[in-house]
Amino acid sequence: MAEAQPNKRVGGHAYGRRHMQMSNTAEEGELCIYSGHSLGRFSSHSMRYDSHQACVRCVSSAREGMLSFDIDRLLKKYRSKALKFWSQVDIGQPDECWMWNGVVNPRTKQPQFAWRRSGISTSTQHHPQRVAMWFTWGDLGFTGVKTTCGEKYCCNPFHLIPQHVGVFVDQDSYMDSFELACQLHTLRQQVAEYAIEEAIKAEQKLDETAEIEARAALLLNPDTKFGDRFEAVMTDMLAGKHISQTEPNDPGLFRAPTDNEENDEKPTNEF
């Protein structure tokens, strides 16, 4: 039998390879979103299959049917992203379709979720079903995913099957699993708390609008002294509220930083 060779990636979009069979060779790649999957304790890389950029350890777990809703298994920097994603999903019963309530491309009618995954894909928009797979079945790169219900807006991981992984799926055991039921209950609570925190942040932003508009009037007033203008500008820059650090969509001058990923949440043709 010939020795296995790395996959030759020639042209095309990364997700165009989702229909290919998964390679049996791995290479050093981006750090997996799950804790404990790095090459070493202090390493910032994980081993990934070269054909689909799927984490080797996540593939091994998926092949054993290890489905999980535990947010705490993720690296800390990805937990808020997971909560943001699940807050846009109508989480129902395990045997029901969980419909996507987030961004939908108005032209293609395809659901989209904004996430920059450098080293995995150049696209900033991903199909919610693939993101749901990443947060439950594992960081399987751009592996294809299909639903058992046929609903393109369904994000229920019980209805999702990663393709070309050889994943073991036992629906009956999942439905009867007490551990998964506890994880799902905890996830609902975490999502509810996240939604409340985001609502409080939005309210605080609106409460500061009057103060910020007053500061804007001060800066734009030609009669304002140079010392007062300089102090106001420096204070705003240190607080991250200066006009050069903001976007024009929010009220007043208190806006999101220009490098915030929220600015990527615009419908595109790629996902």
Side-chain angles (χ1 to χ4, degrees):
M1 182 176 180
E3 181 182 357
Q5 297 294 329
N7 187 304
K8 297 180 180 179
R9 289 173 264 182
V10 181
H13 194 275
Y15 289 126
R17 283 175 275 143
R18 65 186 182 274
H19 301 298
M20 296 170 50
Q21 292 295 326
M22 183 161 295
S23 170
N24 60 350
T25 57
E27 61 185 6
E28 184 176 321
E30 291 296 317
L31 183 64
C32 179
I33 64 176
Y34 288 87
S35 60
H37 288 195
S38 61
L39 291 175
R41 183 177 180 183
F42 303 105
S43 175
S44 59
H45 295 84
S46 298
M47 291 301 294
R48 293 180 177 272
Y49 286 105
D50 65 289
S51 60
H52 292 71
Q53 288 301 303
C55 173
V56 171
R57 296 190 183 185
C58 288
V59 169
S60 176
S61 177
R63 285 173 174 169
E64 296 179 0
M66 302 299 290
L67 175 67
S68 176
F69 294 94
D70 189 3
I71 297 292
D72 295 332
R73 293 177 61 236
L74 300 169
L75 296 175
K76 288 185 178 180
K77 64 179 180 179
Y78 294 115
R79 293 175 187 174
S80 59
K81 176 68 70 173
L83 291 174
K84 181 177 181 179
F85 170 76
W86 289 118
S87 67
Q88 300 178 48
V89 176
D90 184 13
I91 302 177
Q93 297 300 317
D95 58 343
E96 298 176 344
C97 286
W98 300 0
M99 303 306 291
W100 172 249
N101 296 325
V103 176
V104 176
N105 189 297
R107 187 178 66 84
T108 63
K109 306 302 180 184
Q110 291 290 340
Q112 297 178 173
F113 180 74
W115 190 359
R116 291 179 181 269
R117 297 213 62 189
S118 58
I120 302 298
S121 173
T122 57
S123 176
T124 60
Q125 304 289 335
H126 305 279
H127 199 291
Q129 291 177 350
R130 178 169 285 106
V131 179
M133 175 185 68
W134 288 339
F135 286 139
T136 53
W137 285 106
D139 189 359
L140 303 182
F142 38 84
T143 300
V145 58
K146 291 186 178 180
T147 62
T148 57
C149 60
E151 173 58 61
K152 70 177 181 179
Y153 294 108
C154 175
C155 297
N156 183 352
F158 293 110
H159 292 180
L160 302 179
I161 301 179
Q163 301 296 294
H164 307 297
V165 176
V167 59
F168 174 77
V169 178
D170 187 354
Q171 295 287 356
D172 294 335
S173 65
Y174 295 151
M175 297 298 178
D176 298 334
S177 173
F178 178 73
E179 180 181 1
L180 285 179
C182 292
Q183 291 179 1
L184 188 55
H185 177 72
T186 302
L187 177 62
R188 290 194 183 100
Q189 289 183 323
Q190 292 174 323
V191 170
E193 293 173 358
Y194 172 81
I196 293 174
E197 291 176 357
E198 291 300 307
I200 292 175
K201 291 179 182 178
E203 188 66 26
Q204 290 175 344
K205 182 183 292 187
L206 292 176
D207 289 343
E208 294 180 1
T209 301
E211 176 184 351
I212 296 158
E213 292 293 352
R215 174 59 60 86
L218 173 67
L219 294 175
L220 298 176
N221 188 349
D223 297 330
T224 302
K225 296 181 179 180
F226 175 79
D228 296 335
R229 191 188 302 275
F230 179 79
E231 180 183 358
V233 170
M234 294 303 298
T235 302
D236 289 346
M237 291 188 69
L238 292 175
K241 301 179 181 180
H242 190 258
I243 187 64
S244 63
Q245 302 169 298
T246 57
E247 286 294 324
N249 296 327
D250 290 337
L253 293 180
F254 187 74
R255 299 167 182 138
T258 55
D259 60 347
N260 196 316
E261 283 192 11
E262 293 180 358
N263 298 321
D264 296 329
E265 295 189 2
K266 301 175 183 178
T268 65
N269 295 331
E270 297 183 4
F271 54 85

